[in-house]
Amino acid sequence: MQLILFGYAINTTPRDLPTAVLLQETSDVGRSILAALQNTRYFKVTHIAHNAVEFDRLLASGTVLFAVEIPANFERALRRGDRPALLIAADATDPVAAGSALGALGTIVTTALRNDHAIPDTTAPPFEVRAHARYNPAASTALNIVPGLVGTILTMTMLIFTALSVTREIERGTMESLLSMPITPVEIMLGKIVPYVIVGFVQAALIIGVGVLLFRVPILGNLALLALLSTLFITTNLSIGYTFSTIAQNQLQAMQMSMMFFLPNILLSGFMFPFAGMPNWAQWVGEALPLTHFIRIVRAIMLKGSTIEDLRYDALILGILMLIAMAIAVTRFRRTLD
Amino acid sequence: MSAAGTMASRGFWLRTRAMLIKEFIQLKRDRMSFGMIIMIP
């Protein structure tokens, strides 16, 4: 199942990357460029921005990965041979997704304008593509990987901690005494989860601290917001791990379930491969994974300085996933050893 | 809140606290796992 899932889902050459266009003039050339972007497999024009504020907001909120601006008087400057600039701003928090599309833009636009006879068939394009790699101007891989690693390591460790918690009690023979006590499944679950929330918090602080000191990863956003949403993510993973523990019969089964869940988290969350480059069905699977949302949150807070307004969707999904996992765990918890 | 409700709420927190203490003691005894918590990141 995993072979088929990942074989079809993973795509190292991202396509259909969400793009916004800001047309500062209404002209044939502008329409040619817009049509060229819409026809290409690299970009998918999802938004038409109406002003510079909207242009910036779409990029900052992560709604689009690219924003192309055709400036005012572009056509006139082009026909006069003034070599006007076509502006493209890319969300470079994921340099892999941004790189190939940025490289292709100049060729795409030049070919489209030549085909529409808007520019002469000369060797050098009569305009300049001015690319702004926002949030990671040097396209440093460390700025992309380190925030992602916070989520990946937390997923791995938190899942395993609680996935083994109930099955370990059964295998050690201590579950019998726990069940004989007047304690409810909710109380057992909270008692199992809360200590590891503290452990997870220490781990997150360690990874972020080392990332900042060693790899010079900035934290542009609010540290308290990062801590709060990290705690939500840690609790979500602990709840999912605990759910596995209530379903599994022994520690080996619990470990296998954790691995079955961990692998899609790594491959379909946007940590290793660009999320926007995956097919739609794989993106839907990815949306159901906590790591997808946490990677967006941690990259946005650290690299973009995003606020809770920008991140409310991802925070809400994390909260919903946590509640679903807790509800399943409490329902599945067996009051007997049979 | 009624007296029965207060008692039930107090019982909930007492039992959860007892579970927490038990888990912390287990974690403290398991030095290997504790070391891994620090070393894995």
Side-chain angles (χ1 to χ4, degrees):
Chain A
M1 193 175 83
Q2 301 233 358
L3 181 73
I4 293 166
L5 182 70
F6 303 135
Y8 285 112
I10 292 165
N11 180 7
T12 51
T13 315
R15 305 276 184 193
D16 298 327
L17 301 169
T19 304
V21 176
L22 173 61
L23 286 165
Q24 299 273 29
E25 68 168 16
T26 311
S27 63
D28 290 344
V29 167
R31 278 189 289 273
S32 283
I33 295 171
L34 185 60
L37 289 174
Q38 276 169 332
N39 290 337
T40 175
R41 295 285 315 276
Y42 280 110
F43 304 97
K44 185 178 181 184
V45 180
T46 54
H47 292 79
I48 301 289
H50 298 97
N51 51 53
V53 177
E54 191 184 354
F55 181 88
D56 291 336
R57 191 182 51 77
L58 286 166
L59 263 179
S61 63
T63 312
V64 295
L65 284 179
F66 294 94
V68 181
E69 181 183 352
I70 300 164
N73 301 320
F74 183 79
E75 181 167 5
R76 196 174 70 166
L78 191 76
R79 297 203 188 282
R80 281 169 54 176
D82 288 348
R83 235 178 115 71
L86 183 69
L87 308 173
I88 176 158
D91 179 346
T93 50
D94 187 349
V96 179
S100 52
L102 272 179
L105 183 78
T107 316
I108 290 165
V109 175
T110 308
T111 310
L113 293 180
R114 276 181 190 153
N115 286 346
D116 292 348
H117 305 292
I119 57 170
D121 199 3
T122 51
T123 45
F127 62 89
E128 179 193 346
V129 174
R130 201 170 289 164
H132 290 193
R134 288 197 189 177
Y135 317 118
N136 182 6
S140 162
T141 313
L143 297 197
N144 172 253
I145 292 292
V146 172
L149 273 175
V150 181
T152 310
I153 294 172
L154 283 177
T155 303
M156 184 173 68
T157 51
M158 296 300 108
L159 271 179
I160 291 172
F161 281 145
T162 42
L164 301 180
S165 62
V166 174
T167 45
R168 191 171 48 206
E169 298 269 9
I170 295 169
E171 288 188 11
R172 281 182 179 173
T174 50
M175 195 63 182
E176 206 167 351
S177 56
L178 199 61
L179 291 176
S180 66
M181 289 175 191
I183 191 163
T184 64
V186 174
E187 290 156 3
I188 294 175
M189 182 180 71
L190 287 177
K192 293 273 180 198
I193 286 177
V194 173
Y196 293 107
V197 173
I198 300 164
V199 168
F201 200 78
V202 171
Q203 281 194 340
L206 264 173
I207 304 164
I208 292 171
V210 172
V212 170
L213 292 174
L214 217 61
F215 297 99
R216 304 270 169 231
V217 180
I219 304 178
L220 301 178
N222 189 332
L223 201 59
L225 179 66
L226 182 61
L228 181 77
L229 295 178
S230 298
T231 309
L232 178 64
F233 174 69
I234 289 165
T235 316
T236 306
N237 275 306
L238 289 171
S239 308
I240 293 169
Y242 186 76
T243 307
F244 292 154
S245 198
T246 58
I247 297 168
Q249 306 285 330
N250 52 52
Q251 293 195 53
L252 182 65
Q253 280 183 13
M255 279 290 286
Q256 284 175 327
M257 284 181 189
S258 301
M259 285 301 126
M260 274 282 285
F261 185 71
F262 181 57
L263 209 56
N265 267 281
I266 290 229
L267 298 174
L268 302 181
S269 63
F271 170 63
M272 292 185 79
F273 306 102
F275 188 83
M278 296 192 302
N280 278 341
W281 63 266
Q283 289 189 21
W284 279 107
V285 176
E287 289 289 337
L289 302 170
L291 187 59
T292 305
H293 301 283
F294 186 65
I295 281 183
R296 285 181 197 156
I297 287 171
V298 79
R299 280 179 184 161
I301 294 177
M302 291 180 81
L303 305 178
K304 295 181 180 178
S306 298
T307 59
I308 188 69
E309 275 87 49
D310 301 319
L311 303 169
R312 59 177 185 260
Y313 165 75
D314 295 301
L316 180 73
I317 299 288
L318 275 184
I320 291 170
L321 289 173
M322 181 187 75
L323 290 175
I324 291 172
M326 283 182 167
I328 296 172
V330 170
T331 318
R332 289 279 319 178
F333 187 82
R334 292 185 298 273
R335 298 303 320 245
T336 61
L337 289 173
D338 302 326
Chain B
M1 195 186 282
S2 66
T6 313
M7 287 284 282
S9 165
R10 191 174 143 75
F12 171 82
W13 290 114
L14 280 174
R15 288 189 297 271
T16 307
R17 193 173 138 241
M19 267 302 292
L20 277 173
I21 293 168
K22 171 195 158 293
E23 287 297 317
F24 273 120
I25 290 170
Q26 273 187 345
L27 200 63
K28 200 175 134 195
R29 282 182 187 159
D30 193 353
R31 293 279 166 93
M32 185 73 176
S33 300
F34 201 76
M36 278 168 68
I37 288 166
I38 306 296
M39 290 310 294
I40 286 175

